[in-house]
Amino acid sequence: MRFLGILLFCLSVLMTSQAQQPPYTPSDLRLKGFEQRHQLEQRSLVNSIAFESVGPTVFSGRVSDIAVNPDDPSIFYVAYASGGVWKTESNGTAFQPIFEKEAVMTVGDIAVDWKQNHIWVGTGEVNSSRSSYAGVGIYLSTDGGKNWVHKGLSESHHIGRIILHPTDPNTLWVAVLGHLYSPNKERGIYKSSDGGKTWTQTLFVNENTGAVDLIIDPDNPDILYATTWHRERRAWNFVESGQGSGIYKTTDGGNNWALITEKKSGFPVGEGCGRIGVAMGKENGKTVLFGFVDNYFRRPAKEKESGGLLTKEDFRDMKRDDFLKLDKKRLAKYLKQNNFPEKYTADKVLAMAEEASFRPAILTEYLEDANSLLFDTPVIGAEVYRSDDLGKSWTKTHEGFLDRVYNSYGYYFGQIRLEPGNVDKIYLLGYPVLRSLDGGKSFESINGDNVHVDHHALWVNPKRKGHLILGNDGGVNISYDDGDTWIKANTTSVGQFYAVAADMSKPYNIYGGLQDNGVWMGSRKYKASNRWHSTGQYPYKEIMGGDGMQIAVDTRDNNIVYTGFQFGNYFRINHTTGKRKYITPKHALGEAPLRWNWQTPIHLSIHNQDILYMGSNKFHRSFNQGDHFDEISEDLTTGGIKGDVAYSTLTSIHESPLQFGLLYAGSDDGLIHISKDGGNNWERIDKGMPERMWVSKIQASAHVKGRVYAALNGYRWDDFSAYLYQSDDFGKTWTPIGKDLPAEPINVVKEDPVNPDLLYVGTDHGLYVSLDRGQSFMLLNNGLPAVAVHDVVVHPRAHELIVGTHGRSIYVGDVHQLQQMNADIMQKELYAFDLKEQKHSRRWGERAGVWRAPKAPAYKIPVYTKSAGTLNVKVHASNDQLLKEFSADCQPGLNYIVYDLSIEEKRKGAYEKHLNRDSKSELDNIRLKRAKSGDYYLHKGMYKVQINKGGLSEQKEFHIK
């Protein structure tokens, strides 16, 4: 695959201008964007809207590193690929976030000086995945994570390892992998001798090769070993190995480095050498090195057994006459095992072969898309090598192949660990976690119950044998018996969601598809708790495995859900009965395979929920809930660039809520099309936009028929500009909006269904809102960390904004007042919004348990003020009797005054008299009871709230029912 990838990549450069590399966004602009983010926070008029995390926590997100206190392993830090850094002081029972408000939340590595309580964070996940976000360098906290200082290396993007000098706190080394989607010179090994004030690049290989791993000799801090990795990722292709990959050694503290994996060393070198992990142990006082390599050289061809199973290679050069002689049962088995549509029976295909124009190769080509190129490659894969002479020579520890460890995506793995003091016990982190007890001659899986797959971090306790702390795509696992059994330490909301949706149940359900953890649904009433451990009923349930993707819910009964996993594998699911049907449309035999994006877009028509749309490189429509699809377009992309990643695919599709058949489609190679007649005719409408940018969202207005919004994303070029556009003439002309947004790639734009001037935008670093259709934006981060926002949904009945983040699960905020904000309101010095009904409770001010403190209600009174000041609030009964008076500070913009629904004790008697005004007997009289909090609370009925500011006054009524 490596050689094929290089050839196809070079051909694509010659054949198309799309292979030209646009300029990446320099780090100074990205850091300036961080300052802009703060400005949008400070000027926000609506940041009083609080967002609450609604989980789920039963699964986790991708762990990138773990740092454990060697003197007290119940204290450790966990770094997440896109969820920041968390700390536990209770052995994983509970965690607190400590790194979530900086320029980025993506983390590649952490290193802790436990004696000084200093924490170093290298930003930018070191894996090269589709959502491996770029960092902005290295941070230091000298107070245990309370405050952070940026310490440079801002152009590093992805940091593989930080090594601290064991005795000199001012000396440290950093392995910098560098940019993911563009070449750059700021790669390799960096050293600082002044605590990160200045850095020296001491090892550089080339613009496409960075340093991915780094270890230090515990007996001699002048000796370090570093691994370098040649990798080139583009939206359409991934080169995972090359001449630059190797292991380097320094004997002078990292000032000079020498390559120790040369041609005659026995270690794989050259074009097939991929990512390398390195580990060191001591045996009889001698140093033993281990290298864990992703070997991208091809495996020797297997001799085919006569009469064995047919493979796609058998048909590639087969003659038609030979095809007609094939055994029908063998052909039928091939068709079934490769999931050909049922209509292509052996009899049907053999009948097709009677035609002189038939080519047996179509049975090969039918299966060959970019995804097959990625996974069906006969590369050697994961290998372990050992050196007993400080790297001069290397020997493979095992015979044969380590199958299903890397599965052709070794770029995602590469960690190797040893048990301290025992070079025979080796741990390999790949798709499974493996253990060897014989120095790597043989391995066994310890990927037991409660352990997810895809492993990226492992700490082996040097003081207690068998104590392991493991990090993977499913979170953190802890073992005390060397991996025979595991416990799961998942209490954090760090799920990596791609998409969210909601139904119209009461209460409504939230749905979400997320990275490597499937598709889940759960009630909006979810509250984070461990009570499910005893009840056995977690509030969310999984309805689909794999990498969960987009969701569409038929709200007529809220039972039918359309969703699926990566590369367009979609299903119609009845989540009540569990019945499901695979619905993805297939190309015809002899046609080129359809190209499905990793996150294939779907859309359920608001006009008729039997109608489902899907986007491959073409637009597909079903009139019968996905039972049958018609292609209603030709290829709506540029036609593709050869490579091993699905490309030239549709990434966003939408139908106008105002007109059936008014369709829009956006692609990953920068094209936008419109059809005004249900797909009969299509017109390209991306003129004037930046070329070759990923169309992350196309959104037709629900208020003006000709209005449409488009968000473009340059992440896959390392272009971090915020590209946002609006058109009012069906895309004939586009106007750039969001010009004050910081340099953060945009993932989603949504128009509010109530307020036509209200827009929501989710970027790689947060959530923004505009009240003037994109002319200016404000930040929403009250309760929201600076995490990537991939999707937002406004619930039409609850007036709540559901926020799907890629790193911190799902948040919900009440936007009812935000939807009412307009220019008239914002010109007023004082404006009070209508008040919600409140359900009465006898538990107000009471204890939830004998030993718990009383809890008062918190009724919110929404008020807009043009300037800061003090609000005086008076609460009256329906007869205008004053019950409570208090004051509250206000800031410019939307404010929520919190009222505990209590009355002043001195007004109790008169209030009871009012409540009993129609009573005919003292036996029927209402007597207010003092709660455990010491307060008296409002009874059922109508009340008035008067808000005063200066000489202005507003009054609203509310009902306690």
Side-chain angles (χ1 to χ4, degrees), residues 732-770:
K732 290 182 180 178
T733 58
W734 293 91
T735 301
I737 58 176
K739 294 180 180 181
D740 58 348
L741 286 170
E744 301 171 1
I746 296 176
N747 300 309
V748 61
V749 56
K750 287 284 182 74
E751 178 193 63
D752 187 83
V754 175
N755 185 340
D757 295 327
L758 176 55
L759 298 180
Y760 308 95
V761 165
T763 75
D764 280 354
H765 302 297
L767 176 66
Y768 300 87
V769 63
S770 172

Side-chain angles (χ1 to χ4, degrees), residues 326-343:
L326 282 176
D327 178 72
K328 187 186 298 186
K329 291 183 178 179
R330 290 181 69 204
L331 179 58
K333 186 171 289 188
Y334 171 82
L335 296 170
K336 182 177 182 180
Q337 289 184 335
N338 288 281
N339 297 314
F340 279 72
E342 292 182 0
K343 65 180 180 179

